[in-house]
Amino acid sequence: MKIDLTDSTASKINKALVQGRRAIGTPAVGMVLTLVIVTDEENAYDALKAANEASREHPSRTLVVIRRVSRSPRDRTKSRLDAEVRLGAEAGTGETVVLRLYGEVVDHADSVVLPLLLPDAPVVVWWPVNSPLDPAKDPLGALAQRRVTDTYAAEAPVRELNARADAYAPGDTDLSWTRITPWRSMLAAALDQVVCDVSAVEVEGEEFNPSCELLAMWLADRLNVPVTRSQSAGPGLTAVRMQTTCGPIVLDRADGSLATLSIDGQPDRAVALKRRDTSELIAEELRRLDPDDTYASALRYGVDRLNAAAGESSGQTAAPAMTAVKAAAKAPAKKAAAGTGASAAAKKAASK
């Protein structure tokens, strides 16, 4: 069911939601959170499709905020709110309101969204593109318990990571971090199978891929060993190689779907490590609404090193092909005994 409202108000939208639920025979509200998507017209379809698929696991009220550009000074002084209310099959397992803002109301999107939030339910704000440098201080971000950005969509991902670290607030997260959850889990499990010291790590992946940088930061932060970032043709992350006193441990994914885990003294094994859709990433982030301390620690740990790498590349903001993301060795490499040392630290950090 779809209801179009032109030059509307938040009160009229709420009435349309109630009438629509009654019309389709579901007057009760069974949603667990409000998901606010802040995007542009170009990316609205893909973001809404991902949110609808994620709503099968997390029934939610989805509010899509689209700021329309006014072409003339006269149009910029006229405020207008158009809404599209979707229920039933049109909105997955929840309900969706697409809000198009014109004129001066563009600068006051929070006043439009606030009356439409579900009462006594958590709020998550997601910027698929064009996220603010400080999400927590954004008027819409201030309404949320969780703020989801995606540095992969930024023009200069490394510079964006620097900004994220400087402005981090509890509740911030990044889909580039979510993408490496299977990698972190697999590496922690691999380290738990050996009793040895880790001396160095190499992370291989596409250039300008923030997930590769975040994985390198996480490993440097947790293992306290030198971590080298190298470039490949992709797609995405392609390999992690760890040098240990028991021999090399390699997790190699050349095709973007199936990886090979090699541990010295053990037969190679194939592991599923496919590149996940945006809907799966959003569904994972909606499973937890508490601050992600592991993400914060990894993000802050690597910022200085990323800045240093950028300074070496002739004033360019992006990292070079062979960026060295090295952790200063403050102490000897930790023991990787099962349940203790480097493997225990990595295993604990991998769990979200």
Side-chain angles (χ1 to χ4, degrees):
M1 180 179 184
K2 185 185 296 185
I3 304 172
D4 290 323
L5 301 172
T6 304
D7 199 4
S8 186
T9 64
S11 176
K12 293 179 181 178
I13 295 170
N14 270 318
K15 289 180 181 178
L17 286 168
V18 173
Q19 293 171 356
R21 285 197 298 268
R22 289 175 177 170
I24 63 176
T26 57
V29 178
M31 287 153 288
V32 298
L33 58 88
T34 303
L35 175 61
V36 181
I37 304 174
V38 187
T39 185
D40 53 21
E41 201 73 62
E42 180 182 358
N43 296 279
Y45 175 81
D46 290 336
L48 190 52
K49 180 181 178 182
N52 286 343
E53 292 175 0
S55 71
R56 297 190 181 99
E57 183 177 341
H58 309 278
S60 59
R61 173 176 290 180
T62 303
L63 306 177
V64 184
V65 179
I66 302 175
R67 294 182 170 98
R68 298 299 297 267
V69 178
S70 300
R71 297 185 177 181
S72 67
R74 178 180 297 178
D75 290 338
R76 286 193 286 272
T77 61
K78 296 180 181 179
S79 296
R80 194 176 95 226
L81 169 64
D82 293 345
E84 187 179 304
V85 179
R86 303 179 184 180
L87 301 102
E90 296 280 350
T93 60
E95 54 192 27
T96 300
V97 181
V98 180
L99 304 167
R100 290 183 172 86
L101 283 56
Y102 300 81
E104 294 180 347
V105 74
V106 166
D107 299 324
H108 304 281
D110 54 318
S111 63
V112 176
V113 168
L114 187 59
L116 301 176
L117 301 178
L118 289 172
D120 302 321
V123 179
V124 178
V125 177
W126 171 32
W127 291 269
V129 293
N130 302 324
S131 55
L133 292 179
D134 192 344
K137 291 185 179 179
D138 182 84
L140 286 172
L143 301 175
Q145 284 75 38
R146 291 279 280 182
R147 296 166 292 276
V148 184
T149 57
D150 191 355
T151 52
Y152 189 77
E155 292 185 6
V158 174
R159 184 173 59 191
E160 195 82 2
L161 285 176
N162 293 334
R164 292 284 169 267
D166 293 338
Y168 176 82
D172 291 354
T173 192
D174 191 332
L175 292 187
S176 295
W177 172 255
T178 315
R179 290 184 180 96
I180 63 173
T181 299
W183 283 83
R184 293 189 295 123
S185 300
M186 192 61 63
L187 291 171
L191 284 173
D192 213 30
Q193 300 179 41
V194 296
V195 183
C196 56
D197 293 337
V198 180
S199 57
V201 180
E202 178 189 2
V203 176
E204 180 187 270
E206 286 179 316
E207 190 177 7
F208 313 127
N209 188 309
S211 294
C212 301
E213 310 297 338
L214 284 168
L215 184 62
M217 296 176 198
W218 173 72
L219 288 165
D221 182 32
R222 289 298 167 179
L223 298 179
N224 200 24
V225 297
V227 178
T228 303
R229 167 77 164 91
S230 61
Q231 181 186 348
S232 71
L237 268 162
T238 52
V240 175
R241 302 177 182 90
M242 295 186 285
Q243 300 299 325
T244 75
T245 54
C246 302
I249 298 176
V250 179
L251 183 60
D252 191 310
R253 185 191 67 178
D255 61 358
S257 59
L258 191 65
T260 301
L261 177 62
S262 303
I263 301 177
D264 197 53
Q266 300 183 20
D268 292 352
R269 66 201 74 175
V271 294
L273 208 61
K274 72 179 184 71
R275 291 166 60 84
R276 297 183 293 169
D277 296 332
T278 304
S279 59
E280 297 176 84
L281 302 176
I282 285 295
E284 178 183 327
E285 284 302 331
L286 296 181
R287 290 179 201 135
R288 59 173 300 169
L289 299 176
D290 57 315
D292 191 341
D293 296 332
T294 306
Y295 165 68
S297 179
L299 185 66
R300 287 169 172 161
Y301 188 91
V303 169
D304 293 340
R305 293 155 186 81
L306 289 172
N307 281 333
E312 294 171 2
S313 59
S314 304
Q316 311 227 348
T317 54
M322 295 294 287
T323 301
V325 187
K326 294 185 179 180
K330 300 177 182 177
K334 299 180 180 179
K335 274 287 184 180
T340 61
S343 63
K347 186 175 182 181
K348 180 180 179 181
S351 62
K352 291 189 73 183

